[in-house]
Structures are given as structure tokens and as C-alpha cells.
Short mmCIF file of all heavy atoms in Angstrom, two decimals:
data_model
loop_
_atom_site.label_atom_id
_atom_site.label_comp_id
_atom_site.label_asym_id
_atom_site.label_seq_id
_atom_site.Cartn_x
_atom_site.Cartn_y
_atom_site.Cartn_z
N LEU A 1 2.28 12.11 2.05
CA LEU A 1 3.30 12.44 3.05
C LEU A 1 4.29 13.44 2.46
O LEU A 1 4.57 13.41 1.26
CB LEU A 1 4.03 11.16 3.49
CG LEU A 1 3.19 10.23 4.36
CD1 LEU A 1 3.95 8.93 4.59
CD2 LEU A 1 2.86 10.86 5.69
N PRO A 2 4.86 14.30 3.28
CA PRO A 2 5.74 15.36 2.75
C PRO A 2 7.01 14.79 2.13
O PRO A 2 7.55 13.78 2.56
CB PRO A 2 6.07 16.20 3.98
CG PRO A 2 5.83 15.31 5.14
CD PRO A 2 4.76 14.35 4.73
N ASN A 3 7.49 15.49 1.10
CA ASN A 3 8.73 15.10 0.42
C ASN A 3 9.86 16.09 0.66
O ASN A 3 10.93 15.94 0.10
CB ASN A 3 8.49 15.00 -1.09
CG ASN A 3 7.64 13.83 -1.45
OD1 ASN A 3 7.67 12.80 -0.79
ND2 ASN A 3 6.84 13.98 -2.50
N ASN A 4 9.63 17.09 1.48
CA ASN A 4 10.62 18.16 1.62
C ASN A 4 11.55 17.96 2.82
O ASN A 4 12.06 18.92 3.36
CB ASN A 4 9.91 19.51 1.70
CG ASN A 4 8.90 19.55 2.82
OD1 ASN A 4 8.69 18.57 3.51
ND2 ASN A 4 8.28 20.70 2.99
N CYS A 5 11.78 16.73 3.24
CA CYS A 5 12.71 16.48 4.34
C CYS A 5 14.13 16.34 3.80
O CYS A 5 14.35 15.83 2.72
CB CYS A 5 12.33 15.18 5.07
SG CYS A 5 10.75 15.29 5.92
N ARG A 6 15.08 16.78 4.59
CA ARG A 6 16.48 16.58 4.21
C ARG A 6 16.83 15.10 4.36
O ARG A 6 16.20 14.38 5.12
CB ARG A 6 17.38 17.41 5.12
CG ARG A 6 17.15 18.88 4.91
CD ARG A 6 18.10 19.67 5.75
NE ARG A 6 17.85 21.08 5.52
CZ ARG A 6 18.34 22.03 6.25
NH1 ARG A 6 19.11 21.74 7.28
NH2 ARG A 6 18.09 23.28 5.97
N PRO A 7 17.86 14.63 3.64
CA PRO A 7 18.17 13.20 3.66
C PRO A 7 18.79 12.70 4.96
O PRO A 7 19.31 11.59 4.99
CB PRO A 7 19.11 13.01 2.50
CG PRO A 7 19.47 14.33 2.01
CD PRO A 7 18.58 15.34 2.62
N VAL A 8 18.78 13.48 6.00
CA VAL A 8 19.27 13.03 7.31
C VAL A 8 18.29 13.51 8.37
O VAL A 8 17.56 14.47 8.17
CB VAL A 8 20.67 13.57 7.63
CG1 VAL A 8 21.71 12.98 6.72
CG2 VAL A 8 20.71 15.09 7.54
N GLY A 9 18.25 12.83 9.48
CA GLY A 9 17.45 13.29 10.61
C GLY A 9 16.17 12.53 10.79
O GLY A 9 15.84 11.61 10.06
N ASP A 10 15.44 12.96 11.82
CA ASP A 10 14.21 12.28 12.21
C ASP A 10 13.11 12.40 11.17
O ASP A 10 12.36 11.45 10.94
CB ASP A 10 13.71 12.82 13.54
CG ASP A 10 14.62 12.44 14.70
OD1 ASP A 10 15.37 11.46 14.53
OD2 ASP A 10 14.57 13.12 15.73
N CYS A 11 12.99 13.56 10.57
CA CYS A 11 11.93 13.77 9.58
C CYS A 11 12.09 12.80 8.43
O CYS A 11 11.14 12.12 8.03
CB CYS A 11 11.96 15.21 9.07
SG CYS A 11 10.77 15.55 7.76
N TYR A 12 13.30 12.69 7.90
CA TYR A 12 13.56 11.80 6.77
C TYR A 12 13.28 10.34 7.14
O TYR A 12 12.63 9.61 6.40
CB TYR A 12 14.99 11.97 6.29
CG TYR A 12 15.35 11.09 5.13
CD1 TYR A 12 14.90 11.39 3.86
CD2 TYR A 12 16.12 9.95 5.31
CE1 TYR A 12 15.21 10.58 2.79
CE2 TYR A 12 16.44 9.14 4.25
CZ TYR A 12 15.99 9.45 2.98
OH TYR A 12 16.30 8.65 1.93
N ASP A 13 13.77 9.93 8.31
CA ASP A 13 13.58 8.55 8.74
C ASP A 13 12.11 8.22 8.91
O ASP A 13 11.63 7.19 8.46
CB ASP A 13 14.32 8.28 10.04
CG ASP A 13 15.83 8.37 9.88
OD1 ASP A 13 16.31 8.22 8.74
OD2 ASP A 13 16.52 8.58 10.90
N THR A 14 11.39 9.10 9.57
CA THR A 14 9.98 8.86 9.84
C THR A 14 9.16 8.82 8.56
O THR A 14 8.35 7.91 8.36
CB THR A 14 9.42 9.95 10.77
OG1 THR A 14 10.20 9.99 11.96
CG2 THR A 14 7.98 9.69 11.12
N VAL A 15 9.38 9.80 7.68
CA VAL A 15 8.60 9.86 6.45
C VAL A 15 8.94 8.69 5.54
O VAL A 15 8.06 8.07 4.96
CB VAL A 15 8.82 11.21 5.74
CG1 VAL A 15 8.23 11.21 4.35
CG2 VAL A 15 8.22 12.34 6.55
N THR A 16 10.22 8.35 5.43
CA THR A 16 10.63 7.24 4.56
C THR A 16 10.05 5.93 5.06
O THR A 16 9.50 5.14 4.27
CB THR A 16 12.16 7.14 4.50
OG1 THR A 16 12.68 8.39 4.05
CG2 THR A 16 12.59 6.06 3.54
N LEU A 17 10.13 5.69 6.36
CA LEU A 17 9.58 4.44 6.89
C LEU A 17 8.06 4.41 6.80
O LEU A 17 7.48 3.36 6.52
CB LEU A 17 10.03 4.25 8.33
CG LEU A 17 11.51 3.94 8.52
CD1 LEU A 17 11.86 3.88 10.00
CD2 LEU A 17 11.88 2.64 7.84
N SER A 18 7.42 5.55 7.01
CA SER A 18 5.96 5.60 6.89
C SER A 18 5.51 5.33 5.46
O SER A 18 4.55 4.58 5.23
CB SER A 18 5.44 6.95 7.34
OG SER A 18 5.70 7.15 8.70
N LYS A 19 6.21 5.94 4.49
CA LYS A 19 5.86 5.70 3.09
C LYS A 19 6.06 4.25 2.72
O LYS A 19 5.22 3.63 2.07
CB LYS A 19 6.71 6.58 2.18
CG LYS A 19 6.21 7.97 2.02
CD LYS A 19 6.97 8.69 0.95
CE LYS A 19 6.37 10.05 0.75
NZ LYS A 19 6.90 10.73 -0.40
N ARG A 20 7.18 3.69 3.14
CA ARG A 20 7.46 2.29 2.82
C ARG A 20 6.43 1.37 3.46
O ARG A 20 5.94 0.43 2.84
CB ARG A 20 8.87 1.92 3.29
CG ARG A 20 9.33 0.59 2.77
CD ARG A 20 10.78 0.34 3.09
NE ARG A 20 11.61 1.36 2.47
CZ ARG A 20 12.73 1.81 3.00
NH1 ARG A 20 13.16 1.36 4.15
NH2 ARG A 20 13.44 2.73 2.37
N SER A 21 6.07 1.67 4.71
CA SER A 21 5.09 0.85 5.41
C SER A 21 3.72 0.94 4.74
O SER A 21 3.05 -0.08 4.53
CB SER A 21 4.99 1.29 6.87
OG SER A 21 3.99 0.61 7.53
N LEU A 22 3.29 2.14 4.39
CA LEU A 22 1.99 2.29 3.72
C LEU A 22 1.99 1.63 2.34
O LEU A 22 0.99 1.05 1.92
CB LEU A 22 1.63 3.77 3.60
CG LEU A 22 1.09 4.41 4.86
CD1 LEU A 22 0.95 5.91 4.67
CD2 LEU A 22 -0.25 3.81 5.23
N LEU A 23 3.12 1.69 1.65
CA LEU A 23 3.21 1.05 0.34
C LEU A 23 3.09 -0.47 0.48
O LEU A 23 2.34 -1.11 -0.26
CB LEU A 23 4.53 1.42 -0.34
CG LEU A 23 4.73 0.87 -1.74
CD1 LEU A 23 3.68 1.46 -2.67
CD2 LEU A 23 6.11 1.20 -2.24
N TRP A 24 3.80 -1.04 1.45
CA TRP A 24 3.71 -2.49 1.67
C TRP A 24 2.30 -2.89 2.08
O TRP A 24 1.77 -3.91 1.63
CB TRP A 24 4.70 -2.94 2.74
CG TRP A 24 6.08 -3.13 2.21
CD1 TRP A 24 7.11 -2.25 2.27
CD2 TRP A 24 6.58 -4.26 1.50
NE1 TRP A 24 8.22 -2.76 1.66
CE2 TRP A 24 7.92 -3.99 1.19
CE3 TRP A 24 6.02 -5.47 1.12
CZ2 TRP A 24 8.70 -4.90 0.49
CZ3 TRP A 24 6.82 -6.37 0.43
CH2 TRP A 24 8.14 -6.08 0.13
N HIS A 25 1.69 -2.10 2.95
CA HIS A 25 0.34 -2.43 3.39
C HIS A 25 -0.67 -2.32 2.25
O HIS A 25 -1.59 -3.13 2.15
CB HIS A 25 -0.09 -1.54 4.55
CG HIS A 25 0.47 -1.95 5.86
ND1 HIS A 25 1.66 -1.45 6.34
CD2 HIS A 25 0.04 -2.84 6.78
CE1 HIS A 25 1.92 -2.00 7.50
NE2 HIS A 25 0.95 -2.85 7.79
N SER A 26 -0.50 -1.33 1.39
CA SER A 26 -1.43 -1.19 0.27
C SER A 26 -1.26 -2.35 -0.72
O SER A 26 -2.26 -2.86 -1.25
CB SER A 26 -1.24 0.15 -0.44
OG SER A 26 0.00 0.20 -1.09
N GLN A 27 -0.03 -2.78 -0.95
CA GLN A 27 0.18 -3.92 -1.84
C GLN A 27 -0.37 -5.21 -1.25
O GLN A 27 -1.00 -6.00 -1.95
CB GLN A 27 1.67 -4.07 -2.15
CG GLN A 27 2.20 -2.96 -3.02
CD GLN A 27 3.71 -3.01 -3.18
OE1 GLN A 27 4.39 -3.75 -2.48
NE2 GLN A 27 4.22 -2.22 -4.09
N ALA A 28 -0.15 -5.40 0.03
CA ALA A 28 -0.69 -6.60 0.69
C ALA A 28 -2.22 -6.58 0.69
O ALA A 28 -2.87 -7.61 0.46
CB ALA A 28 -0.15 -6.70 2.12
N ALA A 29 -2.79 -5.41 0.94
CA ALA A 29 -4.25 -5.30 0.93
C ALA A 29 -4.80 -5.57 -0.46
O ALA A 29 -5.84 -6.21 -0.60
CB ALA A 29 -4.67 -3.92 1.42
N ALA A 30 -4.10 -5.11 -1.49
CA ALA A 30 -4.55 -5.37 -2.85
C ALA A 30 -4.52 -6.86 -3.17
O ALA A 30 -5.46 -7.41 -3.74
CB ALA A 30 -3.70 -4.59 -3.85
N VAL A 31 -3.44 -7.52 -2.76
CA VAL A 31 -3.31 -8.96 -3.04
C VAL A 31 -4.38 -9.75 -2.28
O VAL A 31 -4.94 -10.71 -2.80
CB VAL A 31 -1.89 -9.45 -2.67
CG1 VAL A 31 -1.82 -10.95 -2.62
CG2 VAL A 31 -0.88 -8.89 -3.65
N LEU A 32 -4.67 -9.34 -1.06
CA LEU A 32 -5.61 -10.09 -0.24
C LEU A 32 -7.07 -9.72 -0.49
O LEU A 32 -7.95 -10.57 -0.34
CB LEU A 32 -5.29 -9.90 1.24
CG LEU A 32 -3.96 -10.49 1.70
CD1 LEU A 32 -3.68 -10.10 3.14
CD2 LEU A 32 -3.96 -11.99 1.55
N LEU A 33 -7.35 -8.48 -0.84
CA LEU A 33 -8.73 -8.03 -0.93
C LEU A 33 -9.31 -8.01 -2.33
O LEU A 33 -10.52 -8.21 -2.51
CB LEU A 33 -8.86 -6.63 -0.32
CG LEU A 33 -8.61 -6.52 1.17
CD1 LEU A 33 -8.70 -5.08 1.61
CD2 LEU A 33 -9.56 -7.38 1.95
N TRP A 34 -8.50 -7.76 -3.35
CA TRP A 34 -9.07 -7.63 -4.69
C TRP A 34 -9.61 -8.93 -5.27
O TRP A 34 -10.65 -8.90 -5.95
CB TRP A 34 -8.07 -6.99 -5.64
CG TRP A 34 -7.99 -5.50 -5.44
CD1 TRP A 34 -8.84 -4.73 -4.70
CD2 TRP A 34 -7.02 -4.62 -5.97
NE1 TRP A 34 -8.45 -3.42 -4.75
CE2 TRP A 34 -7.34 -3.32 -5.51
CE3 TRP A 34 -5.92 -4.78 -6.78
CZ2 TRP A 34 -6.59 -2.22 -5.86
CZ3 TRP A 34 -5.17 -3.67 -7.13
CH2 TRP A 34 -5.51 -2.40 -6.68
N PRO A 35 -8.99 -10.10 -5.04
CA PRO A 35 -9.63 -11.32 -5.58
C PRO A 35 -11.04 -11.59 -5.03
O PRO A 35 -11.96 -11.85 -5.82
CB PRO A 35 -8.63 -12.43 -5.21
CG PRO A 35 -7.32 -11.74 -5.15
CD PRO A 35 -7.62 -10.38 -4.59
N PRO A 36 -11.25 -11.51 -3.70
CA PRO A 36 -12.64 -11.72 -3.26
C PRO A 36 -13.59 -10.61 -3.73
O PRO A 36 -14.76 -10.87 -4.00
CB PRO A 36 -12.56 -11.74 -1.73
CG PRO A 36 -11.18 -11.50 -1.35
CD PRO A 36 -10.36 -11.43 -2.57
N CYS A 37 -13.06 -9.39 -3.86
CA CYS A 37 -13.92 -8.31 -4.37
C CYS A 37 -14.33 -8.59 -5.81
O CYS A 37 -15.50 -8.43 -6.16
CB CYS A 37 -13.17 -6.98 -4.31
SG CYS A 37 -12.99 -6.33 -2.66
N ALA A 38 -13.39 -9.02 -6.63
CA ALA A 38 -13.71 -9.35 -8.02
C ALA A 38 -14.70 -10.49 -8.08
O ALA A 38 -15.64 -10.47 -8.90
CB ALA A 38 -12.43 -9.70 -8.78
N TRP A 39 -14.52 -11.48 -7.23
CA TRP A 39 -15.44 -12.62 -7.21
C TRP A 39 -16.86 -12.19 -6.87
O TRP A 39 -17.82 -12.56 -7.53
CB TRP A 39 -14.94 -13.66 -6.22
CG TRP A 39 -15.81 -14.87 -6.17
CD1 TRP A 39 -16.80 -15.13 -5.28
CD2 TRP A 39 -15.77 -15.97 -7.06
NE1 TRP A 39 -17.39 -16.34 -5.57
CE2 TRP A 39 -16.77 -16.88 -6.65
CE3 TRP A 39 -14.98 -16.28 -8.16
CZ2 TRP A 39 -17.00 -18.07 -7.31
CZ3 TRP A 39 -15.22 -17.47 -8.81
CH2 TRP A 39 -16.21 -18.35 -8.39
N HIS A 40 -17.00 -11.38 -5.83
CA HIS A 40 -18.33 -10.97 -5.38
C HIS A 40 -18.96 -9.91 -6.26
O HIS A 40 -20.18 -9.73 -6.23
CB HIS A 40 -18.27 -10.48 -3.93
CG HIS A 40 -18.07 -11.58 -2.95
ND1 HIS A 40 -19.07 -12.43 -2.58
CD2 HIS A 40 -16.97 -11.98 -2.27
CE1 HIS A 40 -18.61 -13.31 -1.71
NE2 HIS A 40 -17.33 -13.05 -1.51
N LEU A 41 -18.15 -9.19 -7.03
CA LEU A 41 -18.71 -8.14 -7.89
C LEU A 41 -19.03 -8.64 -9.30
O LEU A 41 -19.31 -7.85 -10.18
CB LEU A 41 -17.75 -6.95 -7.96
CG LEU A 41 -17.65 -6.15 -6.67
CD1 LEU A 41 -16.58 -5.08 -6.79
CD2 LEU A 41 -18.98 -5.54 -6.30
N GLY A 42 -18.98 -9.96 -9.52
CA GLY A 42 -19.43 -10.46 -10.80
C GLY A 42 -18.59 -11.53 -11.43
O GLY A 42 -19.06 -12.26 -12.30
N LEU A 43 -17.35 -11.68 -11.05
CA LEU A 43 -16.50 -12.68 -11.67
C LEU A 43 -17.00 -14.09 -11.36
O LEU A 43 -16.98 -14.97 -12.22
CB LEU A 43 -15.05 -12.52 -11.20
CG LEU A 43 -14.02 -13.42 -11.85
CD1 LEU A 43 -13.94 -13.10 -13.34
CD2 LEU A 43 -12.68 -13.26 -11.20
N GLY A 44 -17.48 -14.30 -10.15
CA GLY A 44 -18.02 -15.61 -9.77
C GLY A 44 -19.23 -15.98 -10.62
O GLY A 44 -19.37 -17.13 -11.05
N PHE A 45 -20.09 -15.02 -10.87
CA PHE A 45 -21.27 -15.26 -11.70
C PHE A 45 -20.86 -15.64 -13.12
O PHE A 45 -21.41 -16.58 -13.71
CB PHE A 45 -22.15 -14.01 -11.72
CG PHE A 45 -23.31 -14.11 -12.64
CD1 PHE A 45 -24.41 -14.88 -12.31
CD2 PHE A 45 -23.30 -13.45 -13.85
CE1 PHE A 45 -25.49 -14.99 -13.18
CE2 PHE A 45 -24.36 -13.55 -14.72
CZ PHE A 45 -25.46 -14.31 -14.39
N VAL A 46 -19.89 -14.93 -13.67
CA VAL A 46 -19.43 -15.19 -15.03
C VAL A 46 -18.80 -16.58 -15.12
O VAL A 46 -19.09 -17.34 -16.06
CB VAL A 46 -18.44 -14.10 -15.49
CG1 VAL A 46 -17.78 -14.47 -16.80
CG2 VAL A 46 -19.14 -12.77 -15.60
N ILE A 47 -17.96 -16.93 -14.16
CA ILE A 47 -17.30 -18.24 -14.20
C ILE A 47 -18.32 -19.37 -14.06
O ILE A 47 -18.25 -20.38 -14.78
CB ILE A 47 -16.22 -18.32 -13.11
CG1 ILE A 47 -15.05 -17.41 -13.49
CG2 ILE A 47 -15.74 -19.75 -12.91
CD1 ILE A 47 -13.97 -17.32 -12.45
#
């Protein structure tokens, strides 16, 4: 996402909220998806 928005206005608000939302979603997806992925890609077999 672009970083060249001024610190006021619609561009800044939209980009900041979009970045924050994507960051939260990526962290939540990592917490929810990586354990089953690790299990199915070999961790279950090793354990």
C-alpha cells in the first residue's frame, strides 16, 4: 500500500486503516493456519 499520503485526509485514513486491517488479518491467519499446516506437513508424523 502507498506510503506517500499526507498525515491528514481521506488517503491517510484509508491507507492507515487498510494496513492495520491487513496486518491484523495476517497475524490472525498465521495463528490459526500455521499450527495445522505444521501438523500436516510432518510435525504430526514426528510426534
Side-chain angles (χ1 to χ4, degrees):
L1 289 173
N3 289 328
N4 56 358
C5 293
R6 295 184 180 168
V8 292
D10 292 338
C11 176
Y12 180 75
D13 294 338
T14 304
V15 169
T16 304
L17 290 175
S18 296
K19 277 189 176 189
R20 190 172 300 147
S21 175
L22 281 172
L23 183 64
W24 278 98
H25 281 91
S26 68
Q27 290 172 348
V31 166
L32 294 174
L33 294 177
W34 282 349
C37 287
W39 181 263
H40 288 284
L41 290 175
L43 185 64
F45 174 75
V46 171
I47 289 175

